[in-house]
Amino acid sequence: SHLGLKVPEGCWIKVGGEERTWSEGKLTTLDTSFEHSTGNPSSEDRHVLIIDFWHPELSEAERAGLEFIYDLRNSFESGVVPFRQPKAKSAPEEEEEGQGLAGLWKALTGGGD
């Protein structure tokens, strides 16, 4: 559930193709296991308290997997897991044939196309 604390005009959340907005002081309950996104076209900050709770049909293994993912996300967002900038290449290099994802696939599958 999301509790709107400070919601500027125009803010929205889209879940599973359905777009809504938050209302300050009111709960919005949604299933974020569906694809979801948010937007804030204003120049003001949006503040929403997010309250996570488990779907009652999740198995213990599913809960454990999701707890790992949520803990990692929370560690990243709080700065415990730092963001690392990609290393810059020293000189532009052409990707050789068979490298990249195609090269990985060939290595894993024995080289067949």
Side-chain angles (χ1 to χ4, degrees):
S1 292
H2 291 193
L3 176 62
L5 302 174
K6 179 182 178 212
V7 184
E9 186 72 32
C11 290
W12 54 267
I13 183 164
K14 186 175 186 178
V15 179
E18 187 175 326
E19 190 173 304
R20 300 269 174 108
T21 187
W22 297 272
S23 297
E24 290 183 8
K26 295 192 177 188
L27 279 176
T28 301
T29 301
L30 40 98
D31 185 348
T32 55
S33 67
F34 291 97
E35 183 177 341
H36 58 284
S37 58
T38 61
N40 179 0
S42 78
S43 60
E44 300 175 59
D45 289 336
R46 179 192 73 226
H47 298 279
V48 176
L49 176 64
I50 299 174
I51 305 162
D52 291 327
F53 52 93
W54 298 119
H55 189 286
E57 295 177 7
L58 286 176
S59 69
E60 288 299 318
E62 290 168 324
R63 284 185 185 192
L66 288 170
E67 282 178 349
F68 174 80
I69 291 168
Y70 290 147
D71 288 346
L72 183 60
R73 178 196 67 190
N74 292 338
S75 295
F76 175 78
E77 289 176 348
S78 66
V80 174
V81 175
F83 175 75
R84 184 180 62 141
Q85 293 288 336
K87 294 180 181 176
K89 291 184 178 181
S90 56
E93 298 176 14
E94 295 269 337
E95 187 172 85
E96 294 179 28
E97 188 174 334
Q99 297 299 310
L101 289 177
L104 176 60
W105 177 254
K106 287 181 180 180
L108 293 172
T109 62
D113 288 321

